Amino acid sequence: MDPEKPDAAPARPKRRFEPADGDYERRVRESYATQTFMQHIGAELGRIEPGYCEILLPFDRRLCQQDGFLHAGVTTTLADNACGYAAYTLMPEGSRVLSVEFKMNLLRPASGESFAARAEVIKPGRNLTVLEGTVYALSGEEGEKVEKEIAFMVATMTRA
Amino acid sequence: MDPEKPDAAPARPKRRFEPADGDYERRVRESYATQTFMQHIGAELGRIEPGYCEILLPFDRRLCQQDGFLHAGVTTTLADNACGYAAYTLMPEGSRVLSVEFKMNLLRPASGESFAARAEVIKPGRNLTVLEGTVYALSGEEGEKVEKEIAFMVATMTRA
Amino acid sequence: MDPEKPDAAPARPKRRFEPADGDYERRVRESYATQTFMQHIGAELGRIEPGYCEILLPFDRRLCQQDGFLHAGVTTTLADNACGYAAYTLMPEGSRVLSVEFKMNLLRPASGESFAARAEVIKPGRNLTVLEGTVYALSGEEGEKVEKEIAFMVATMTRA
Amino acid sequence: MDPEKPDAAPARPKRRFEPADGDYERRVRESYATQTFMQHIGAELGRIEPGYCEILLPFDRRLCQQDGFLHAGVTTTLADNACGYAAYTLMPEGSRVLSVEFKMNLLRPASGESFAARAEVIKPGRNLTVLEGTVYALSGEEGEKVEKEIAFMVATMTRA
């Protein structure tokens, strides 16, 4: 799956941030690799930038709700994780990131060949970081990929 | 939250509702059985009453985040599902239930031997139902079970 | 207006907390008195207990939206303030309280002779306190007061 | 949020919508004029476009909380109203708009010479419309205006 789709939905952050630790991407990837649940559902990290994180998931029939759509719990998992690591990119070395709270609006049935959650920082802070994350359903052939917004999250993350 | 048992968690609803369809429990159990994702994580239905639903999950190392706690995505899955089926108990036969939106506050690290999400209707409606759900971490021997609130959800469900 | 209505909705907190500063009620009342906006809308403090705060408002035609109901901004003001001071009762002397975020679900049209917001702490914390608040519309004669839930808030407050 | 003008706030919507009723602006202005509470606080309508609404408020000492900042209840009123009318622009003639729920994240102290809430539709729907709204604090001379994001709302509106 190619996260670069210039004619599609915003696959890059709208805001720019200066990371406190230039080694942010390595830290994110190392932390991500220890999350057993992300492996259990088959999700992978995509693009990582300061204040931004993308997570990708192929559709899998084991991840569905009663109507055959991706379960809202999975959609939320993608968005929460993307928000968490987007916040983490701006934290100093040695930090841990924890979800304080989040809100999801489910916009459309989660139907697609694969899914991408893209999160970015709205407001960084010493203790609390506020983020927005959008989950997209992707379908179609390479070069004609269609992306639909299926969920929108606002999240508050903290540094521990 | 039960003023009669200040040291015990509310394993029963605070409010009473009259179901439109007396066969609500069978409908909930049949729908639940078709959710592949709930099987994938090993969650099971607990008590069901009009406007109330409980979902149970044993701890499993495959469901964790980077610090070894239950992943917030799993906690949310339990709460969202409990809210959805609590709303569904009050819907007429032939309805489908969909999550419109929800908000989670993560109160404590999700550490326990098992977990229970308990949701109940705050306000039923023809189109929209508002619910609250609490996720508890359970530990300790039978007869000395300790329950800790680890997350609190408010959700809006709709009938389709 | 009498905030004590034993046969009505929960005018007392469900949980019990030990305040860090026994002088919490004086601190709340002094802080409240400096809020020009609460005077501008005519709202007053009701009952205050550790982890609990009530705010009362008589209906006023200057506080309405386009259909003649109490404006959702006013309902939110009552709930946010009740949550803020409920959190403040548990904070040590010299603290300031700030709203981090809140979510409101509007349950019924805000129609009544007066209104009461009642908030209580769900989870206190050193930095972050999570609360729930309910706004009620009150109507009817003394002794036959009717209270209806019109809105439900979940809020996160911080100490500064 | 516009990467081309990093020091300027988005005074125009990011998305484009086709209104069901070309007379949407008149309907919004007529409805707004009947809201006594918006007059009580001195707020005025700004720019209106399909799926977009701006509301403006000069600072007023009667609208403050205990530290002299604009009260979170006022900030919320602006954001809720901007979201409501942004949704209303896309509704057919004869509709009424009601807030179902909203979530506010308070990003910075609400300190400024005036304030602007700008809301736009994320996802329109026959029954439910999801929106985002940002409240800005404005200060500085004409030509050197500074705008700071002070709050972020996600809201669900319905048609009645």
Side-chain angles (χ1 to χ4, degrees):
Chain A
M1 177 189 280
D2 177 12
E4 305 232 19
K5 285 161 297 297
D7 55 348
R12 282 185 186 77
K14 291 172 285 186
R15 300 171 186 83
R16 294 201 180 181
F17 298 100
E18 203 58 45
D21 168 22
D23 211 18
Y24 63 88
E25 181 162 347
R26 185 189 52 77
R27 282 193 295 122
V28 168
R29 295 197 181 275
E30 284 182 6
S31 173
Y32 189 89
T34 67
Q35 292 195 100
T36 57
F37 185 54
M38 301 312 276
Q39 298 165 28
H40 193 54
I41 63 173
E44 293 190 6
L45 275 170
R47 174 193 292 266
I48 298 166
E49 296 189 23
Y52 179 85
C53 180
E54 183 186 51
I55 294 183
L56 305 166
L57 178 82
F59 177 76
D60 183 327
R61 292 183 61 178
R62 292 170 300 177
L63 308 178
C64 292
Q65 40 83 282
Q66 69 278 9
D67 299 309
F69 301 124
L70 193 72
H71 200 285
V74 180
T75 315
T76 303
T77 300
L78 302 181
D80 169 54
N81 234 250
C83 284
Y85 284 118
Y88 193 52
T89 61
L90 301 185
M91 293 179 184
E93 209 188 332
S95 305
R96 284 167 56 215
V97 59
L98 289 173
S99 304
V100 171
E101 58 88 28
F102 49 73
K103 179 206 199 299
M104 278 289 269
N105 277 70
L106 301 156
L107 306 175
R108 288 181 183 86
S111 166
E113 292 160 22
S114 68
F115 301 90
R118 294 172 191 144
E120 68 173 285
V121 170
I122 292 178
K123 168 72 172 61
R126 197 160 48 93
N127 293 316
L128 298 176
T129 298
V130 181
L131 304 104
E132 61 176 291
T134 304
V135 186
Y136 300 89
L138 286 64
S139 55
E141 296 297 306
E142 197 61 47
E144 304 215 15
K145 280 266 164 90
V146 177
E147 299 199 346
K148 281 184 305 179
E149 297 178 5
I150 57 169
F152 184 72
M153 174 178 278
V154 181
T156 307
M157 297 285 159
T158 193
R159 184 159 83 86
Chain B
M1 305 220 276
D2 183 334
E4 311 295 15
K5 301 179 228 150
D7 55 349
R12 281 184 186 77
K14 291 173 287 186
R15 301 171 185 82
R16 296 204 178 179
F17 297 100
E18 203 59 45
D21 168 22
D23 212 17
Y24 62 88
E25 181 162 348
R26 184 188 53 76
R27 281 193 296 123
V28 168
R29 295 198 180 275
E30 284 182 6
S31 173
Y32 189 90
T34 67
Q35 291 195 100
T36 57
F37 185 54
M38 301 311 276
Q39 297 165 30
H40 193 55
I41 63 172
E44 292 191 5
L45 276 170
R47 175 193 293 264
I48 298 166
E49 296 190 22
Y52 179 86
C53 180
E54 183 185 50
I55 294 183
L56 305 166
L57 178 82
F59 177 77
D60 183 326
R61 292 183 60 179
R62 293 171 299 177
L63 307 179
C64 291
Q65 41 84 280
Q66 70 277 10
D67 298 309
F69 301 124
L70 193 73
H71 200 286
V74 180
T75 315
T76 303
T77 299
L78 301 181
D80 169 54
N81 233 251
C83 285
Y85 285 117
Y88 193 52
T89 62
L90 302 185
M91 292 179 184
E93 210 189 331
S95 304
R96 285 167 55 214
V97 59
L98 289 173
S99 302
V100 170
E101 59 86 28
F102 48 74
K103 179 205 199 297
M104 277 289 270
N105 278 70
L106 301 155
L107 306 175
R108 290 183 182 84
S111 166
E113 293 160 21
S114 68
F115 301 90
R118 294 171 191 145
E120 68 173 286
V121 171
I122 292 178
K123 168 73 171 61
R126 197 159 48 93
N127 293 316
L128 299 176
T129 298
V130 181
L131 303 104
E132 61 176 290
T134 304
V135 186
Y136 301 89
L138 285 65
S139 54
E141 296 297 306
E142 196 62 46
E144 304 214 17
K145 280 265 162 91
V146 177
E147 299 197 346
K148 281 184 305 179
E149 297 178 5
I150 58 168
F152 185 72
M153 174 179 277
V154 182
T156 307
M157 297 284 159
T158 193
R159 184 159 83 86
Chain C
M1 176 191 278
D2 177 12
E4 305 232 19
K5 284 160 299 296
D7 54 349
R12 282 186 186 76
K14 290 172 286 186
R15 299 172 186 82
R16 295 201 180 181
F17 298 100
E18 204 58 46
D21 168 21
D23 213 17
Y24 63 87
E25 181 162 349
R26 184 189 54 75
R27 282 193 296 121
V28 168
R29 296 198 180 275
E30 284 183 6
S31 172
Y32 189 89
T34 68
Q35 291 195 100
T36 57
F37 185 55
M38 301 312 275
Q39 298 164 29
H40 193 55
I41 62 172
E44 292 190 5
L45 276 171
R47 175 193 292 266
I48 298 166
E49 296 189 23
Y52 179 85
C53 179
E54 183 186 51
I55 294 183
L56 306 166
L57 177 82
F59 176 77
D60 183 327
R61 291 182 61 177
R62 293 172 300 179
L63 308 178
C64 291
Q65 40 82 282
Q66 69 277 9
D67 298 310
F69 300 125
L70 193 73
H71 200 286
V74 180
T75 314
T76 304
T77 299
L78 302 181
D80 169 53
N81 233 249
C83 284
Y85 284 118
Y88 193 51
T89 62
L90 301 185
M91 293 179 183
E93 211 189 330
S95 304
R96 285 166 56 215
V97 60
L98 289 173
S99 303
V100 170
E101 59 86 28
F102 48 74
K103 180 205 198 298
M104 278 288 270
N105 278 69
L106 301 156
L107 305 175
R108 289 183 183 85
S111 166
E113 293 160 20
S114 67
F115 301 90
R118 294 172 191 144
E120 68 172 286
V121 170
I122 292 178
K123 169 73 171 58
R126 198 159 48 93
N127 293 317
L128 298 176
T129 298
V130 181
L131 303 104
E132 61 175 291
T134 304
V135 186
Y136 300 89
L138 286 62
S139 54
E141 297 297 306
E142 196 61 47
E144 303 215 16
K145 281 263 165 92
V146 177
E147 300 197 347
K148 281 183 305 179
E149 297 178 5
I150 57 169
F152 185 72
M153 175 178 277
V154 181
T156 307
M157 298 284 159
T158 193
R159 185 159 82 86
Chain D
M1 304 220 278
D2 182 337
E4 310 295 14
K5 303 178 226 151
D7 55 350
R12 281 184 186 76
K14 290 172 287 187
R15 299 171 186 82
R16 296 204 178 178
F17 297 100
E18 203 59 46
D21 168 21
D23 212 18
Y24 64 86
E25 182 162 348
R26 183 189 54 76
R27 282 192 295 122
V28 168
R29 296 199 180 273
E30 283 182 6
S31 172
Y32 189 89
T34 67
Q35 291 195 99
T36 57
F37 185 55
M38 301 312 276
Q39 298 165 28
H40 193 55
I41 63 172
E44 293 190 4
L45 276 171
R47 175 193 292 265
I48 298 167
E49 297 190 22
Y52 180 84
C53 179
E54 182 186 50
I55 294 183
L56 305 166
L57 177 82
F59 178 76
D60 183 327
R61 292 182 60 178
R62 293 171 300 178
L63 307 179
C64 292
Q65 40 83 284
Q66 69 278 10
D67 299 309
F69 300 124
L70 193 73
H71 200 286
V74 180
T75 314
T76 304
T77 299
L78 301 181
D80 169 54
N81 234 250
C83 285
Y85 285 118
Y88 193 52
T89 61
L90 301 186
M91 293 180 183
E93 210 188 331
S95 304
R96 285 166 57 214
V97 59
L98 289 172
S99 303
V100 170
E101 60 85 29
F102 48 74
K103 179 204 199 298
M104 277 289 269
N105 277 70
L106 301 155
L107 306 176
R108 290 183 182 85
S111 166
E113 293 160 21
S114 68
F115 301 89
R118 294 173 190 142
E120 68 173 286
V121 170
I122 292 178
K123 168 72 171 61
R126 199 160 47 94
N127 292 316
L128 299 176
T129 299
V130 180
L131 303 104
E132 62 175 290
T134 304
V135 186
Y136 300 89
L138 286 63
S139 54
E141 297 297 305
E142 196 62 46
E144 303 215 16
K145 281 264 163 88
V146 177
E147 300 197 347
K148 281 184 306 180
E149 298 179 4
I150 58 169
F152 185 72
M153 175 178 277
V154 181
T156 308
M157 298 284 160
T158 192
R159 185 159 82 87

